[in-house]
Amino acid sequence: MDIRRQPIEADKFYHIYNRGVNGELIFKSSRNFEFFLKKVEENLVPVSEVYAYCLLPNHFHFLVRIKSEKEWKSLVKVSTLDKAERGLHAQQSIFSKQFSRIFNSYSQAFNKENGRHGPLIESPFKRKEITSEEYLRDVIVYIHRNPQNHGLVDDFRDYEYSIYNLFLNNLQSFILQKEVMDLFEDKQNFIFSHHKEIDLEEFLS
Protein backbone atom coordinates (compact mmCIF):
# COMPACT_ATOMS: atom_id res chain seq x y z
CA MET A 1 0.00 0.00 0.00
CA ASP A 2 1.15 3.53 -0.78
CA ILE A 3 2.45 4.90 2.54
CA ARG A 4 0.94 8.26 1.65
CA ARG A 5 -2.54 6.68 1.44
CA GLN A 6 -2.45 4.33 4.42
CA PRO A 7 -5.71 4.68 6.41
CA ILE A 8 -5.56 6.36 9.82
CA GLU A 9 -7.32 4.34 12.54
CA ALA A 10 -8.09 4.99 16.19
CA ASP A 11 -5.90 3.53 18.94
CA LYS A 12 -3.00 2.84 16.57
CA PHE A 13 0.54 4.18 16.43
CA TYR A 14 1.93 5.85 13.32
CA HIS A 15 5.29 7.17 12.25
CA ILE A 16 4.42 10.41 10.43
CA TYR A 17 7.10 12.01 8.29
CA ASN A 18 7.44 14.37 5.38
CA ARG A 19 9.82 16.76 3.65
CA GLY A 20 9.98 19.98 1.71
CA VAL A 21 8.99 19.94 -1.95
CA ASN A 22 12.00 18.71 -3.95
CA GLY A 23 13.91 18.39 -0.68
CA GLU A 24 13.92 22.18 -0.16
CA LEU A 25 14.53 23.71 3.27
CA ILE A 26 11.38 24.16 5.32
CA PHE A 27 13.05 25.48 8.49
CA LYS A 28 15.61 28.28 8.30
CA SER A 29 15.51 29.83 11.77
CA SER A 30 14.65 29.03 15.38
CA ARG A 31 11.49 31.08 14.88
CA ASN A 32 10.44 28.68 12.09
CA PHE A 33 10.96 25.60 14.28
CA GLU A 34 9.07 27.15 17.21
CA PHE A 35 6.15 28.34 15.08
CA PHE A 36 5.76 24.89 13.52
CA LEU A 37 5.72 23.22 16.95
CA LYS A 38 3.13 25.73 18.13
CA LYS A 39 0.90 24.72 15.22
CA VAL A 40 1.49 21.04 16.02
CA GLU A 41 0.39 21.59 19.61
CA GLU A 42 -2.72 23.46 18.50
CA ASN A 43 -3.81 21.04 15.77
CA LEU A 44 -2.22 17.62 16.25
CA VAL A 45 -2.46 17.18 20.03
CA PRO A 46 -6.30 17.34 20.06
CA VAL A 47 -6.49 14.26 17.80
CA SER A 48 -3.42 12.28 18.83
CA GLU A 49 -0.88 11.64 21.55
CA VAL A 50 2.66 12.60 20.53
CA TYR A 51 5.42 10.22 21.65
CA ALA A 52 8.41 11.65 19.79
CA TYR A 53 9.41 14.20 17.19
CA CYS A 54 12.41 15.63 15.40
CA LEU A 55 12.46 18.63 13.07
CA LEU A 56 15.32 18.83 10.57
CA PRO A 57 16.02 21.62 8.06
CA ASN A 58 14.26 19.91 5.14
CA HIS A 59 12.04 17.26 6.76
CA PHE A 60 10.44 16.11 10.02
CA HIS A 61 9.41 12.98 11.94
CA PHE A 62 6.60 12.42 14.47
CA LEU A 63 5.51 9.32 16.34
CA VAL A 64 1.86 9.56 17.34
CA ARG A 65 -0.88 7.44 18.80
CA ILE A 66 -4.29 8.24 17.35
CA LYS A 67 -6.81 8.91 20.10
CA SER A 68 -9.61 6.48 20.97
CA GLU A 69 -12.87 5.88 19.14
CA LYS A 70 -14.76 7.68 21.91
CA GLU A 71 -12.60 10.78 21.56
CA TRP A 72 -12.92 10.67 17.77
CA LYS A 73 -16.73 10.55 18.00
CA SER A 74 -16.63 13.66 20.14
CA LEU A 75 -14.50 15.39 17.51
CA VAL A 76 -16.85 14.34 14.70
CA LYS A 77 -19.84 15.87 16.50
CA VAL A 78 -18.23 19.29 16.70
CA SER A 79 -16.37 19.16 13.41
CA THR A 80 -17.35 20.91 10.20
CA LEU A 81 -17.00 17.75 8.12
CA ASP A 82 -19.47 17.17 5.33
CA LYS A 83 -21.93 14.32 5.88
CA ALA A 84 -20.13 12.24 3.27
CA GLU A 85 -16.96 12.43 5.33
CA ARG A 86 -18.56 11.14 8.53
CA GLY A 87 -18.55 7.46 9.49
CA LEU A 88 -15.83 5.11 8.34
CA HIS A 89 -13.63 7.85 6.91
CA ALA A 90 -14.17 10.42 9.65
CA GLN A 91 -10.96 9.63 11.50
CA GLN A 92 -8.90 9.80 8.34
CA SER A 93 -10.60 13.05 7.33
CA ILE A 94 -10.18 14.81 10.66
CA PHE A 95 -6.56 13.76 11.11
CA SER A 96 -5.66 14.77 7.56
CA LYS A 97 -7.47 18.09 7.97
CA GLN A 98 -5.56 18.80 11.18
CA PHE A 99 -2.25 18.17 9.42
CA SER A 100 -3.38 20.31 6.48
CA ARG A 101 -4.05 23.15 8.91
CA ILE A 102 -0.52 22.84 10.25
CA PHE A 103 1.05 22.74 6.79
CA ASN A 104 -1.08 25.54 5.33
CA SER A 105 -0.63 27.93 8.24
CA TYR A 106 3.09 27.25 8.47
CA SER A 107 3.67 27.42 4.69
CA GLN A 108 1.88 30.76 4.40
CA ALA A 109 4.01 32.26 7.19
CA PHE A 110 7.25 30.77 5.79
CA ASN A 111 6.51 31.94 2.23
CA LYS A 112 5.70 35.45 3.41
CA GLU A 113 8.88 35.61 5.49
CA ASN A 114 11.07 34.33 2.64
CA GLY A 115 9.38 35.97 -0.35
CA ARG A 116 8.47 32.67 -2.00
CA HIS A 117 5.29 31.26 -3.52
CA GLY A 118 3.71 27.87 -4.02
CA PRO A 119 3.69 24.59 -2.05
CA LEU A 120 6.38 24.19 0.62
CA ILE A 121 5.75 20.69 2.01
CA GLU A 122 4.98 17.55 0.00
CA SER A 123 1.39 16.31 0.00
CA PRO A 124 -0.05 13.98 1.09
CA PHE A 125 2.11 13.38 4.16
CA LYS A 126 3.71 9.96 4.64
CA ARG A 127 2.69 7.61 7.42
CA LYS A 128 3.68 4.12 8.56
CA GLU A 129 1.69 2.06 11.05
CA ILE A 130 3.66 0.75 14.04
CA THR A 131 2.78 -2.91 14.44
CA SER A 132 4.77 -4.08 17.47
CA GLU A 133 6.25 -2.73 20.71
CA GLU A 134 9.76 -3.51 19.49
CA TYR A 135 9.13 -1.55 16.30
CA LEU A 136 7.69 1.27 18.43
CA ARG A 137 10.88 1.52 20.47
CA ASP A 138 13.01 1.33 17.33
CA VAL A 139 11.11 4.22 15.74
CA ILE A 140 11.60 6.37 18.85
CA VAL A 141 15.35 5.71 18.77
CA TYR A 142 15.47 6.27 15.00
CA ILE A 143 13.69 9.63 15.31
CA HIS A 144 15.98 10.83 18.09
CA ARG A 145 19.14 9.76 16.26
CA ASN A 146 18.03 11.20 12.91
CA PRO A 147 20.07 14.45 13.07
CA GLN A 148 23.27 12.42 13.55
CA ASN A 149 22.27 9.98 10.81
CA HIS A 150 22.01 12.94 8.41
CA GLY A 151 25.32 14.44 9.53
CA LEU A 152 23.80 17.58 11.06
CA VAL A 153 25.58 16.96 14.36
CA ASP A 154 28.30 14.61 15.57
CA ASP A 155 26.15 13.58 18.52
CA PHE A 156 22.34 13.42 18.26
CA ARG A 157 22.11 14.50 21.91
CA ASP A 158 23.35 17.95 20.90
CA TYR A 159 20.55 18.61 18.43
CA GLU A 160 18.10 21.24 19.65
CA TYR A 161 14.94 20.28 17.75
CA SER A 162 14.78 16.65 18.78
CA ILE A 163 12.84 15.75 21.90
CA TYR A 164 15.45 13.34 23.29
CA ASN A 165 16.78 15.59 26.07
CA LEU A 166 13.31 16.37 27.31
CA PHE A 167 13.06 12.82 28.65
CA LEU A 168 16.30 13.16 30.57
CA ASN A 169 15.46 16.53 32.12
CA ASN A 170 11.69 16.17 32.63
CA LEU A 171 10.99 19.39 30.74
CA GLN A 172 7.43 20.60 30.21
CA SER A 173 6.03 19.54 26.82
CA PHE A 174 3.02 18.08 25.01
CA ILE A 175 5.02 14.84 24.62
CA LEU A 176 3.80 11.85 26.66
CA GLN A 177 6.97 11.42 28.68
CA LYS A 178 5.83 8.79 31.19
CA GLU A 179 4.34 6.55 28.51
CA VAL A 180 7.54 6.71 26.44
CA MET A 181 9.77 5.99 29.42
CA ASP A 182 7.56 3.04 30.39
CA LEU A 183 8.25 1.51 26.97
CA PHE A 184 11.94 1.40 27.89
CA GLU A 185 11.23 0.42 31.53
CA ASP A 186 13.44 3.14 33.01
CA LYS A 187 15.73 6.06 32.17
CA GLN A 188 18.88 3.94 32.23
CA ASN A 189 17.53 1.54 29.61
CA PHE A 190 16.17 4.46 27.59
CA ILE A 191 19.68 5.92 27.36
CA PHE A 192 21.26 2.53 26.68
CA SER A 193 18.79 1.77 23.86
CA HIS A 194 19.86 4.94 22.07
CA HIS A 195 23.44 3.64 21.74
CA LYS A 196 22.23 1.41 18.91
CA GLU A 197 21.92 2.89 15.45
CA ILE A 198 18.54 2.01 13.92
CA ASP A 199 18.25 1.88 10.13
CA LEU A 200 14.64 2.21 9.00
CA GLU A 201 15.31 3.82 5.64
CA GLU A 202 14.24 0.72 3.69
CA PHE A 203 10.83 0.89 5.37
CA LEU A 204 10.29 4.59 4.64
CA SER A 205 10.45 4.65 0.86
Side-chain angles (χ1 to χ4, degrees), residues 20 22 44 48 53 67 71 75 86 99 139 146 173-174:
N22 298 320
L44 193 58
S48 67
Y53 73 74
K67 288 188 175 180
E71 291 169 299
L75 286 168
R86 298 176 186 270
F99 248 112
V139 171
N146 211 243
S173 172
F174 55 78

Side-chain angles (χ1 to χ4, degrees), residues 169-203:
N169 300 306
N170 295 317
L171 301 177
Q172 189 70 28
S173 172
F174 55 78
I175 297 292
L176 272 67
Q177 298 182 56
K178 181 182 182 301
E179 287 79 354
V180 172
M181 201 59 69
D182 286 348
L183 287 169
F184 293 89
E185 297 183 4
D186 55 38
K187 185 179 292 187
Q188 183 177 357
N189 195 48
F190 175 82
I191 294 171
F192 177 78
S193 296
H194 281 74
H195 291 167
K196 184 175 92 170
E197 185 172 349
I198 305 292
D199 183 10
L200 297 179
E201 295 297 336
E202 62 181 295
F203 299 104

Side-chain angles (χ1 to χ4, degrees), residues 93-114:
S93 297
I94 295 176
F95 192 81
S96 296
K97 282 178 180 290
Q98 294 302 96
F99 248 112
S100 292
R101 290 189 177 101
I102 296 170
F103 296 158
N104 291 339
S105 178
Y106 179 77
S107 296
Q108 288 173 14
F110 183 92
N111 283 351
K112 183 177 180 180
E113 180 180 293
N114 291 278

